[in-house]
Amino acid sequence: MSLENVLPPYLTVQGFLRDPAVTELLEYASSIERRFKPAMVGDHRIDPRRRTCRRAKMTGPLGSELAERILASVPSFLDALRVTSFSIGEVELEVVAYEDGAHHGTHLDTAYGNGNSREGDRRLTAVYYFFRQPKKFDGGNLRLHAFGRGAGPRASADIEPICNQLVVFPSWAPHEVLPVSVASGQFEDSRFAINCWVSERTVSARTDEARAAPTQSGR
């Protein structure tokens, strides 16, 4: 079956975290504002034409809670997306702030050819949205693009960011984040999201684990 001009599968999960989590995450983002750095593109350079948001590593209890929830949900995600199952490796997390004018051009979440095996092992992408209510920004839809490179218009699907919603799709799906407008210009009014990537456990990792496992006698 040809995938030409076929949209990738995706699902949305409303109310993914407990109710107080949004408030706690907003306080967390504000407390680490100085740690947010310009996000790079896949070949590890800053390119404002392709990506202008800021990012920080997600750590602490809130990050652990989100990672655990996602790991526990992977089997149901795979079933819903009708994606082939895989041996689960690690979960990567980063918190991203889309301030006034920020965007991220069309890309994949897998390797870009710079030898980054971690990115190459990604299989599932999950994006969790949190921001001030009522919403203080406009735009910022997640746009999924159809597969293929043929001539003519390409099918696409726009997903509006909704607070406390998780969006899940295969990491090899082409997607972008449309430009964001924040009238106040304040960091706290940004479109915040946590990018989550679930990677496949590599053959080398499984081999290392097997070598490290204690042997049992043949008695």
Side-chain angles (χ1 to χ4, degrees), residues 4-200:
E4 185 70 22
N5 214 20
V6 173
L7 282 170
Y10 71 92
L11 64 91
T12 59
V13 184
Q14 304 287 349
F16 188 70
L17 292 182
R18 53 195 170 79
D19 289 341
V22 171
T23 299
E24 294 173 14
L25 284 168
L26 286 170
E27 293 173 351
Y28 172 77
S30 294
S31 72
I32 64 166
E33 180 180 356
R34 292 185 179 180
R35 285 169 43 192
F36 281 80
K37 305 297 181 184
M40 295 182 290
V41 293
D43 46 4
H44 301 282
R45 62 189 174 90
I46 297 173
D47 185 348
R49 296 169 301 174
R50 295 168 60 186
R51 191 180 189 188
T52 55
C53 58
R54 292 198 294 153
R55 62 172 295 276
K57 186 176 181 180
M58 183 73 195
T59 59
L62 289 170
S64 298
E65 179 181 343
L66 181 58
E68 290 171 3
R69 286 291 310 279
I70 288 175
L71 281 173
S73 303
V74 165
S76 62
F77 290 162
L78 295 175
D79 287 343
L81 296 172
R82 298 185 178 181
V83 173
T84 303
S85 62
F86 56 90
S87 179
I88 299 172
E90 67 176 327
V91 177
E92 303 168 64
L93 298 177
E94 68 174 15
V95 58
V96 190
Y98 281 82
E99 298 164 273
D100 189 50
H103 72 283
H104 192 176
T106 304
H107 63 286
L108 310 178
D109 286 343
T110 49
Y112 284 80
N114 195 38
N116 191 330
S117 59
R118 169 184 282 187
E119 291 183 4
D121 295 330
R122 291 173 180 168
R123 294 294 177 264
L124 277 184
T125 295
V127 183
Y128 175 81
Y129 297 111
F130 67 100
F131 42 81
R132 279 186 171 181
Q133 298 280 58
K135 186 171 67 174
K136 304 294 185 180
F137 64 87
D138 293 312
N141 283 1
L142 171 67
R143 176 171 290 175
L144 295 175
H145 292 280
F147 298 108
R149 298 179 178 272
R154 312 298 303 168
S156 63
D158 282 6
I159 305 169
E160 178 184 358
I162 296 175
C163 197
N164 200 13
Q165 174 180 268
L166 188 78
V167 180
V168 189
F169 54 92
S171 296
W172 34 261
H175 60 286
E176 65 176 306
V177 177
L178 301 183
V180 174
S181 174
V182 183
S184 71
Q186 298 298 311
F187 177 78
E188 292 80 4
D189 293 338
S190 300
R191 170 199 182 275
F192 291 106
I194 301 174
N195 293 330
C196 317
W197 297 286
V198 182
S199 297
E200 181 174 14

